Amino acid sequence: MKLRCAVLDDYQGVALSSADWSPLADRVDVRVLREHLTDRDALVAAIEDCEIVVVMRERTPMDAELLKRLPRLRLIVTSGMRNASIDLAAAAGLGITVCGTASSSEPPAELTWALILGLARQVRTEAQALREGGPWQSTVGMDLAGRTLGLVGLGKIGGRVARIGLAFGMDVLAWSPNLTRERAAECGVTLAPGKRELMERSDIVSLHMVLSDRTQGLIGEAELDAMRPSAYLVNTSRAGLVDGEALLRALREGGIAGAGLDVFATEPLAADDPLRTLPNVLALPHLGYVTEGNYARYFGQAVEDIEAYLAGTPVRTLG
């Protein structure tokens, strides 16, 4: 009898076309769920017969309570080599193997610049006016050359964002709790004396940190108050890095000029969420990693992970 595999949250319906699944055809029946199931009972009903589940990022949390309701589950494959929404300890205790895939840092770095440029040149306002017959040229854009870009985090993605900022002729500052002067120099940027100093001096602040207990709410009311009223905040990392209520206040009260956001506390974003309609927010539906190359990598290696598991030699295991 074939094993059953469910691919969750394939919003665009591209999981099966992004990779060659044929090596599994004689051993695994693969089905795709395109709709995000928020109701736990509905989710369990949809996948309780599956031995294998492939998850996309943190779209569907695999916590202990859910895992206990899936007694047939033996393998979870996640895109990327880190997924905070999977309870690895619970999975191990239940005999469930968890494997990951490679993920490229280029797509989120590129999207970060799409948001920065969109904010600096008021692309949303001007494009909407053009489509709707509004005023011809109603805004004045921000020059990037000579401005200061502040990076909270200077890892793989932050380092790429820094190099592009330097190419634009920007002064680039960076800070994180463990950032060294040597790493900053390696990227050609200046190490800020502290978090507050970075927020005060930057025209654009971009976040590139891993979310953890230590970084939850890293950017709160005090940090947002330290920013210039003309400055922008960009977050393509994780929503939990920022105090959401403090950000809403800053946006509504003019504490900052605006925000470019690709990550949200709840995804998909609720239809009535104010971030959908605030005029100084440029928001995207978590597209940072959504590219043809990354999807080919995710799903191609998901097939490899499943093949290796079936051979008794799991690869790219997490935990």
Side-chain angles (χ1 to χ4, degrees):
M1 180 180 294
K2 291 184 179 181
L3 300 180
R4 286 162 289 256
C5 171
V7 180
L8 303 186
D9 299 307
D10 180 18
Y11 297 156
Q12 298 103 333
V14 296
L16 298 184
S17 61
S18 293
D20 180 9
W21 294 77
S22 63
L24 303 175
D26 61 340
R27 292 168 290 168
V28 182
D29 280 327
V30 180
R31 63 176 180 264
V32 171
L33 280 68
R34 292 194 59 179
E35 299 299 321
H36 177 66
L37 298 176
T38 56
D39 182 85
R40 279 298 177 92
D41 291 336
L43 177 61
V44 170
I47 65 174
E48 62 185 345
D49 63 332
C50 293
E51 291 84 9
I52 305 167
V53 170
V54 178
V55 299
M56 174 59 69
R57 311 299 288 181
E58 292 94 5
R59 290 177 182 176
T60 295
M62 292 278 146
D63 55 36
E65 185 272 334
L66 177 63
L67 296 177
K68 289 175 182 176
R69 296 181 65 184
L70 301 172
R72 298 181 65 92
L73 187 59
R74 287 295 171 263
L75 173 66
I76 299 172
V77 178
T78 176
S79 58
M81 291 299 293
R82 183 189 296 115
N83 190 328
S85 73
I86 299 175
D87 190 327
L88 296 176
L94 293 167
I96 301 170
T97 300
V98 182
C99 298
T101 72
S103 183
S104 174
S105 59
E106 287 95 339
E110 292 168 2
L111 191 86
T112 296
W113 278 100
L115 289 172
I116 291 173
L117 291 167
L119 289 167
R121 301 304 295 269
Q122 300 291 328
V123 167
R124 172 184 170 179
T125 298
E126 296 291 2
Q128 186 172 345
L130 185 67
R131 291 176 66 89
E132 297 176 355
W136 186 263
Q137 297 183 355
S138 64
T139 66
V140 178
M142 171 193 284
D143 297 281
L144 294 182
R147 299 281 185 163
T148 299
L149 171 65
L151 301 177
V152 179
L154 196 62
K156 290 182 180 179
I157 297 172
R160 288 185 177 279
V161 173
R163 289 195 291 275
I164 298 170
L166 292 170
F168 273 116
M170 302 186 77
D171 296 322
V172 183
L173 297 176
W175 174 89
S176 71
N178 298 314
L179 182 60
T180 64
R181 196 172 301 278
E182 290 73 22
R183 170 61 181 168
E186 176 187 324
C187 294
V189 308
T190 301
L191 176 65
K195 179 173 54 171
R196 184 176 182 87
E197 289 84 355
L198 180 137
M199 306 300 285
E200 290 175 339
R201 293 168 57 183
S202 299
D203 297 292
I204 297 167
V205 175
S206 188
L207 309 183
H208 302 285
M209 295 285 291
V210 174
L211 182 63
S212 66
D213 291 340
R214 189 177 58 146
T215 60
Q216 181 80 33
L218 185 69
I219 306 301
E221 187 171 1
E223 289 76 20
L224 292 167
D225 285 347
M227 292 179 67
R228 302 170 183 176
S230 59
Y232 295 102
L233 180 74
V234 175
N235 188 4
T236 58
S237 294
R238 289 294 180 270
L241 296 172
V242 182
D243 180 326
E245 291 301 316
L247 177 59
L248 279 176
R249 283 196 297 273
L251 290 167
R252 285 169 167 158
E253 297 172 8
I256 61 175
L261 305 174
D262 189 46
V263 287
F264 307 93
T266 300
E267 297 182 6
L269 192 63
D272 60 350
D273 194 294
L275 291 174
R276 288 183 178 268
T277 55
L278 282 173
N280 55 350
V281 172
L282 177 58
L284 297 172
H286 206 157
L287 297 178
Y289 55 88
V290 180
T291 65
E292 294 172 349
N294 247 359
Y295 271 17
R297 194 172 294 108
Y298 290 164
F299 294 115
Q301 292 190 11
V303 174
E304 293 175 3
D305 287 351
I306 296 170
E307 284 191 285
Y309 174 81
L310 295 178
T313 55
V315 295
R316 293 185 283 266
T317 56
L318 307 180

